[in-house]
Amino acid sequence: VRGPEGTAQVSVHTVDHFRAFIDDPYAFGLIAANHALSDCHAMGARPQVALAVATVPVAVDAVAEEDLALLMAGACAALKE
């Protein structure tokens, strides 16, 4: 990828995967997104795109759906900052 005036740019990708260590899906979404963002910032990269990969524990469909929605809401809140 070429940047302005012929400067070289690279595409940086980072993937994190870790188990939830708290019982609050929204807070975990915030933490996970901020962790991924910190990886990008540590490499001097500017975040452009986010891809979420989530594993939700087996539960009643409505509970799993609500947990996933809260997790993604937390992640989106962190990405908007």
Side-chain angles (χ1 to χ4, degrees), residues 22-48:
I22 57 174
D23 291 331
D24 181 342
Y26 183 87
F28 185 67
L30 282 169
I31 293 166
N34 277 307
H35 187 268
L37 288 170
S38 71
D39 289 348
C40 292
H41 293 300
M43 292 183 271
R46 192 176 80 221
Q48 299 288 314

Side-chain angles (χ1 to χ4, degrees), residues 1-24:
V1 176
R2 287 292 197 190
E5 300 177 18
T7 58
Q9 291 184 343
V10 296
S11 178
V12 174
H13 301 265
T14 179
V15 177
D16 292 329
H17 187 273
F18 46 96
R19 290 183 177 269
F21 46 86
I22 57 174
D23 291 331
D24 181 342

Side-chain angles (χ1 to χ4, degrees), residues 42-67:
M43 292 183 271
R46 192 176 80 221
Q48 299 288 314
V49 177
L51 172 66
V53 178
T55 302
V56 180
V58 175
V60 176
D61 287 348
V63 173
E65 185 177 331
E66 182 179 348
D67 282 353

